Amino acid sequence: MEHAPFPPDLIKLQAEWQLTYAALAKPHPVHTTALRRRLQTLSGRLLFHPYWSGPGWTPAARVELRRQARAVEWRP
């Protein structure tokens, strides 16, 4: 099943989530509480993004979203 193209804001959210997760996963991360809170906030925004209310939600779509977010040269 093919999914609709991801909106740019959803790709940006996923990229932010991945960068935050990577920062938290480093040995001896700084500001762990702030990073955890940010990860929770981003997780909620990703989960309840309007894109997922349509027929686009599939496990494969989530994988593709992560792949596309990794390909983006976006930094906070």
Side-chain angles (χ1 to χ4, degrees):
M1 179 177 173
E2 191 159 329
H3 58 82
F6 298 114
D9 67 319
L10 183 57
I11 294 172
K12 182 180 175 187
L13 270 175
Q14 183 65 48
E16 288 181 52
W17 188 96
Q18 290 170 190
L19 288 170
T20 303
Y21 186 89
L24 192 56
K26 288 181 182 177
H28 312 292
V30 179
H31 308 295
T32 55
T33 301
L35 288 170
R36 285 187 189 124
R37 285 182 183 147
R38 177 131 178 89
L39 200 58
Q40 286 180 324
T41 299
L42 292 169
S43 293
R45 289 174 60 197
L46 278 167
L47 181 63
F48 295 107
H49 190 279
Y51 177 85
W52 303 120
S53 65
W57 192 95
T58 65
R62 294 300 303 249
V63 170
E64 179 59 19
L65 174 62
R66 287 190 294 271
R67 187 195 68 74
Q68 287 185 29
R70 278 192 302 272
V72 172
E73 292 294 326
W74 183 85
R75 295 291 180 255

